[in-house]
Amino acid sequence: MFDSVLHGTDLDRSDLDLLVDALPGATLFGLGGLQMELEEVLGVTVDLLTPGDLPSRFREQVLAEAAPV
C-alpha cells in the first residue's frame, strides 16, 4: 500500500493504491481481474500497480515507503 491511505491523507473519494510484485507469467488480464475483484470486495476504487508501472522520478520513494498488507 502506498500514497494517501498509507499517509492518512485519504478522503472519501480517494482510491486505494496497491503495489504488487507480479509472479512470472502474470498477465495484464490477470492483474485487471485482481483489481476488479479487490474493488468489489473492498468497496473502493483500487489502483493496482507493479514497481515497473511507477514513474522513475518517484519509484524509489514509493518503494521505500510502501507498507505490506
Side-chain angles (χ1 to χ4, degrees):
M1 172 177 32
F2 66 100
D3 207 19
S4 62
V5 174
L6 176 66
H7 295 257
T9 58
D10 57 311
L11 305 171
D12 288 339
R13 65 183 182 276
S14 296
D15 63 357
L16 176 60
D17 297 297
L18 295 176
L19 192 62
V20 296
D21 287 323
L23 296 172
T27 66
L28 289 177
F29 289 112
L31 292 174
L34 175 59
Q35 180 176 343
M36 290 173 50
E37 194 169 329
L38 287 169
E39 289 178 342
E40 185 178 315
V41 169
L42 299 174
V44 297
T45 302
V46 174
D47 193 8
L48 191 68
L49 301 170
T50 66
D53 294 330
L54 297 169
S56 59
R57 68 181 184 276
F58 62 84
R59 181 180 301 137
E60 291 305 317
Q61 179 182 350
V62 170
L63 293 175
E65 293 179 354
V69 290

